[in-house]
Amino acid sequence: TGSRIMGGASGGGAGAARILREIDVQRLRGRLVAPDRNEYAVEYFGHFCALMHLEHLEERRQLQRRAQRSGPLVDNLECVAVFGRKDGRKADALGWEDPGSEMGVLLLPSGTCLERLRVKKGDSVGLSEAGTVGASAGAKLAGTVADLKPAKGREAAQMIVKVRGAWPDNAQTCTWRVDQDANSTLYERQLQALLSLVVKPRNKICELLIAARVGGVDAWVARSRGKMAGGQAPVTKTRAKDQAAARKLASTQPQARNLQEALDEASTLKHLNASQREAVSAALKQTCAVIQGPPGTGKTHVSVQILKMWARS
């Protein structure tokens, strides 16, 4: 069903609406069963899969509205080369048809400063023939910015885009506009991870993820609303014990000597680049640190290093 909705959505809102009308939500209840019959895993998958779909759709909606208000990231780009065609597999891990990929070279306007360009390497983009309005109107291609090359001598700066599927036959005879698009790579990886949680053997970390049943936030909100209305949720022995453990954990601070040693070590980690070392140091010095970057920039690698150093400090 999910693959049909995504396929219909790419063909326009009317197609997606028609497919949704054919779905009987009540008949879908209880249809997903894990091989090991673990109800917690199924509940976790259903809860977060729905949230992930809604988040992705909302991201696309907001990007389309922004493109209509602010215009494209760049427009009227000439495609001077198409290369690197890779045929897709019959189906990916999700059961969706893999269209393969192909690279294209777009010439950026004369005088373009890559540092000020609103699109960066690794960003998800949508491409359509120049002159169309909005991120979805007339959109033909979706892809990722594979590289940005600065101007060199008389050669203009270039944007190299890896598209899903293939560039059309007229790619080099028309000009293109580039709009920001939702991160499809992240979306598909999250969906694959959720599916693996249900259909594949789970390690101890995955078992911990599903140990606490989903919906705990809803229960917390209900209790909070009760307090604001003048009510008071009863404090059970279990809840009191959890609260005491949480207070103890929140008040725990690393020893100053251990923390300084960890910071000194972080500044000399040779297998990380400068921005990655900075991220490690930030995570060691403060309660909350947000680490972000496009695919392939080492976020997972940095997170593993942070966990190692947290454990030691």
Side-chain angles (χ1 to χ4, degrees), residues 21-217:
R21 285 196 298 270
E22 296 175 3
I23 298 173
D24 184 348
V25 176
Q26 296 303 321
R27 292 183 61 186
L28 294 176
R29 293 182 181 275
R31 295 296 296 275
L32 179 63
V33 179
D36 60 357
R37 304 285 175 176
N38 190 307
E39 294 183 3
Y40 284 13
V42 171
E43 188 179 62
Y44 189 96
F45 175 87
H47 181 85
F48 287 102
C49 187
L51 292 178
M52 186 192 65
H53 284 311
L54 292 172
E55 181 182 30
H56 186 68
L57 291 172
E58 176 61 18
E59 181 184 7
R60 295 186 71 91
R61 187 186 70 83
Q62 291 186 10
L63 288 173
Q64 290 172 9
R65 292 182 62 185
R66 186 183 305 168
Q68 291 171 350
R69 292 195 308 266
S70 308
L73 298 176
V74 281
D75 203 356
N76 293 312
L77 303 187
E78 179 185 357
C79 179
V80 295
V82 173
F83 65 98
R85 170 63 183 165
K86 290 185 178 180
D87 294 327
R89 298 164 294 180
K90 290 185 178 180
D92 60 16
L94 298 172
W96 297 349
E97 182 180 352
D98 182 2
S101 63
E102 192 169 40
M103 310 289 278
V105 181
L106 301 175
L107 295 184
L108 293 169
S110 176
T112 297
C113 176
L114 297 185
E115 294 297 325
R116 297 182 180 180
L117 197 63
R118 289 190 293 161
V119 61
K120 304 298 181 184
K121 180 179 178 180
D123 284 356
S124 296
V125 292
L127 298 100
S128 56
E129 290 187 25
T132 57
V133 180
S136 62
K140 291 185 176 181
L141 303 171
T144 305
V145 178
D147 200 5
L148 291 169
K149 293 186 176 181
K152 186 177 181 181
R154 295 184 178 182
E155 294 182 1
Q158 299 178 351
M159 176 189 297
I160 301 176
V161 182
K162 179 181 180 181
V163 302
R164 295 172 64 91
W167 287 80
D169 294 336
N170 68 337
Q172 294 178 249
T173 59
C174 63
T175 56
W176 296 88
R177 64 174 279 159
V178 179
D179 293 285
Q180 189 176 359
D181 198 5
N183 193 330
S184 297
T185 301
L186 176 62
Y187 168 77
E188 291 180 9
R189 286 180 180 176
Q190 287 177 327
L191 189 54
Q192 289 176 4
L194 283 172
L195 189 61
S196 298
L197 196 67
V198 178
V199 302
K200 293 184 179 180
R202 291 180 292 277
N203 57 30
K204 293 296 183 182
I205 294 178
C206 291
E207 290 292 349
L208 284 173
L209 281 176
I210 64 173
R213 303 187 68 171
V214 296
V217 172

Side-chain angles (χ1 to χ4, degrees), residues 235-248:
V235 180
T236 63
K237 290 183 178 179
T238 301
R239 187 180 178 201
K241 183 178 179 181
D242 290 343
Q243 289 175 339
R247 286 193 293 269
K248 181 179 179 180

Side-chain angles (χ1 to χ4, degrees), residues 221-275:
V221 170
R223 289 197 299 270
S224 297
R225 286 177 176 172
K227 290 180 181 179
M228 288 188 291
Q232 181 67 35
V235 180
T236 63
K237 290 183 178 179
T238 301
R239 187 180 178 201
K241 183 178 179 181
D242 290 343
Q243 289 175 339
R247 286 193 293 269
K248 181 179 179 180
L249 181 63
S251 62
T252 302
Q253 297 290 336
Q255 295 182 11
R257 180 174 58 82
N258 291 346
L259 177 58
Q260 189 57 51
E261 289 177 355
L263 290 172
D264 292 341
E265 181 183 350
S267 64
T268 59
L269 293 172
K270 297 186 180 300
H271 62 287
L272 302 181
N273 60 35
S275 63

